Amino acid sequence: MIYDSPMIAVIGLGYVGLPLAVEFGKARPVVGFDINQARIAELDSGKDSTLEVSSNELANAKQLRFSCDLADLKSCDIFIVTVPTPVDQANRPDMTPLVKASQTVGQSLKAGAIVIYESTVYPGATEEVCVPVLEKFSGMKFNQDFFCGYSPERINPGDKVNTLTTIKKITSGSTPEVAKVVDDLYRSIIKAGTWQASSIKVAEAAKVIENSQRDLNIAFVNELSVIFERMGIDTLEVLEAAGSKWNFLPFRPGMVGGHCIGVDPYYLTHKAEELGYHPQVILAGRRINDDMARYAARGIIKRMLQGGIDVARSTVGVLGVTFKENCPDIRNSKVADLVRELEAWNAKVVVMDPWADAAEVKHEYGIELGQISANQKVDALVVAVGHHQFRDLSTNDLKSYCHWEHTPVFGDLKCLYDRHALTSNGFNVFRL
């Protein structure tokens, strides 16, 4: 079970798996495995389209090799699974990627192997869902022939300060001995140290509540935004005033997308409902956050109508489509919901994003990326993502993008600009 120099396989080379494989690959042999052949070819060429790992970092991982060949997994001793855990259209957990990854690993297990999962799941999922698959496809017995661990990912896409090695890592194992092996393994690369949980289920629960807590805090300020809009009060001014107290939490309203915060709470609520409890607070927060894109779109449309703009003959420019700033990640982007709602009012919508891959946006959301400029003017301009390219725009830049036959509406959904400066320059401003 314990190897002096184990061969590690990292299954899934996305935002989570690649940084992990690179860090381990600096000091020990690692197989970075992904079923996407184009992804393997890209990484072999020294490039990472997620921008999480630089070409220099890839080159420095001397003991890392990439593969989509199952045969290359046969020599591995420790398997780390980092595939996504999405939800379906009914917001039910979709365990398909995790089950398929477990099938792949199960076919490659040898006696004494350890399988560590990093994917966010509900408490109990590793042992209830993944372990039976591993047993079936390996023909071996859990905690006798092979073992498991759970160490939830804490990757923050696009963040170059809080990176893999600088964030404390939760670890756990299916036996006390395995828990120590898993903890020692991660401790060898995580500068911030580790937190060894008492069980896999505790580690799973800790991860899922991290994002649920953040989701609820954002839902609270989103609801405040809706209330203060009706009162004619600027939400940001209220939050800044309240923030003068030392223990006031600095959350901001916004559209909650991405692969974690907008998804993970549904894993916890799913398990709770299976156990006969209907979560109220968590689901209430989810409803509020899931509705914010539609709320923002309707707030912008309302101001356009009030300003005499013929919405059906108008063009609305949207700056940004990724789920967060300075990052190419478009997973679960709520900007797509914003665009669909604007289009439902028959407005023509032009979306521009210097960070997003146009082909990926087209494939995932059916949205064609375009250009907004002084030569491609719009009737309303919505800044949906806080990329630095948009933060650097002056009021005059923003004005040059708009038609002025009617007062243009400016949707500052990220509160990037001085509201009073925008208003004094003629914009009809909406922000969350």
Side-chain angles (χ1 to χ4, degrees):
M1 180 182 69
I2 300 175
Y3 304 92
D4 293 330
S5 182
M7 171 75 80
I8 298 173
V10 176
I11 313 299
L13 298 174
Y15 286 86
V16 174
L18 180 62
L20 191 68
V22 166
E23 201 59 43
F24 277 126
K26 293 176 182 177
R28 62 182 75 214
V30 177
V31 174
F33 181 86
D34 201 293
I35 60 173
N36 186 339
Q37 294 183 12
R39 176 66 166 160
I40 296 300
E42 172 189 277
L43 295 173
D44 277 335
S45 72
K47 298 177 182 178
D48 170 31
S49 59
T50 71
L51 306 182
E52 289 301 301
V53 175
S54 69
S55 297
N56 285 338
E57 289 173 309
L58 283 171
N60 288 335
K62 302 293 186 182
Q63 300 189 60
L64 169 62
R65 60 191 176 95
F66 301 110
S67 175
C68 55
D69 186 349
L70 288 174
D72 288 332
L73 299 179
K74 296 289 186 180
S75 60
C76 296
D77 308 298
I78 295 176
F79 299 82
I80 305 177
V81 178
T82 65
V83 298
T85 46
V87 293
D88 63 19
Q89 291 185 340
N91 291 322
R92 294 171 301 199
D94 180 2
M95 305 293 280
T96 304
L98 207 53
V99 169
K100 288 185 175 180
S102 297
Q103 292 173 357
T104 296
V105 171
Q107 296 173 53
S108 305
L109 286 184
K110 58 185 178 182
I114 300 174
V115 185
I116 305 168
Y117 290 91
E118 291 212 1
S119 309
T120 304
V121 291
Y122 55 79
T126 298
E127 290 153 302
E128 295 167 13
V129 176
C130 301
V131 164
V133 176
L134 293 172
E135 288 186 320
K136 178 181 177 180
F137 281 81
S138 68
M140 295 194 289
K141 188 71 175 175
F142 176 52
N143 275 347
Q144 179 177 310
D145 304 312
F146 72 91
F147 307 85
C148 282
Y150 184 78
S151 181
E153 59 91 2
R154 282 176 163 173
I155 292 292
N156 187 24
D159 190 338
K160 301 306 179 185
V161 176
N162 300 298
T163 57
L164 171 67
T165 62
T166 63
I167 303 171
K168 183 169 285 191
K169 199 88 161 68
I170 296 173
T171 68
S172 63
S174 56
T175 69
E177 295 78 16
V178 168
K180 185 178 188 309
V181 172
V182 173
D183 192 71
D184 288 345
L185 179 69
Y186 281 105
R187 191 176 287 274
S188 70
I189 63 167
I190 305 298
K191 298 174 185 175
T194 59
W195 179 284
Q196 187 174 326
S198 61
S199 68
I200 287 176
K201 190 176 288 189
V202 167
E204 292 168 327
K207 169 58 180 178
V208 80
I209 71 165
E210 287 176 18
N211 290 330
S212 298
Q213 181 188 66
R214 186 165 176 79
D215 192 43
L216 284 169
N217 278 303
I218 297 171
F220 173 62
V221 292
N222 273 337
E223 189 163 55
L224 292 179
S225 177
V226 174
I227 294 169
F228 293 149
E229 165 69 13
R230 297 188 177 198
M231 295 179 176
I233 302 172
D234 185 85
T235 305
L236 182 59
E237 291 181 3
V238 175
L239 294 174
E240 287 176 340
S244 62
K245 186 180 180 186
W246 62 271
N247 63 349
F248 186 81
L249 300 178
F251 285 92
R252 294 288 186 266
M255 299 183 296
V256 182
H259 64 110
C260 286
I261 300 177
V263 173
D264 296 349
Y266 287 120
Y267 277 76
L268 183 57
T269 59
H270 167 79
K271 187 61 177 179
E273 288 173 339
E274 273 193 347
L275 297 171
Y277 178 74
H278 181 72
Q280 299 178 60
V281 174
I282 300 171
L283 286 175
R286 282 278 74 238
R287 285 193 295 271
I288 290 169
N289 287 342
D290 274 348
D291 194 53
M292 287 309 290
R294 184 172 65 170
Y295 168 76
R298 291 185 175 184
I300 291 160
I301 293 293
K302 178 181 176 181
R303 279 165 174 73
M304 292 173 70
L305 292 171
Q306 289 172 340
I309 297 174
D310 185 347
V311 175
R313 289 182 172 84
S314 70
T315 300
V316 180
V318 176
L319 298 182
V321 74
T322 62
F323 93 88
K324 65 180 296 187
E325 66 274 6
N326 303 327
C327 174
D329 195 346
I330 65 167
R331 289 175 294 174
N332 192 31
S333 172
K334 295 304 177 183
V335 179
D337 294 344
L338 175 83
V339 171
R340 286 199 242 351
E341 183 66 22
L342 292 169
E343 290 177 336
W345 289 82
N346 292 323
K348 177 185 176 182
V349 182
V350 179
V351 182
M352 171 178 156
D353 194 312
W355 285 82
D357 179 85
E360 186 181 6
V361 174
K362 175 65 175 176
H363 178 266
E364 291 297 321
Y365 301 114
I367 296 173
E368 297 271 7
L369 294 186
Q371 289 294 320
I372 304 162
S373 67
N375 297 320
Q376 299 286 335
K377 294 181 184 292
V378 297
D379 302 286
L381 187 61
V382 183
V383 180
V385 185
H387 295 318
H388 69 81
Q389 291 94 333
F390 304 151
R391 291 177 182 269
D392 293 341
L393 294 172
S394 68
T395 304
N396 285 334
D397 290 331
L398 299 171
K399 287 178 67 176
S400 71
Y401 295 164
C402 299
H403 294 296
W404 288 87
E405 290 84 357
H406 298 278
T407 300
V409 174
F410 187 85
D412 184 8
L413 304 189
K414 302 298 291 185
C415 296
L416 302 183
Y417 311 97
D418 185 320
R419 179 172 193 153
H420 302 292
L422 292 169
T423 302
S424 64
N425 275 276
F427 282 110
N428 184 350
V429 179
F430 171 85
R431 66 183 189 181
L432 297 177

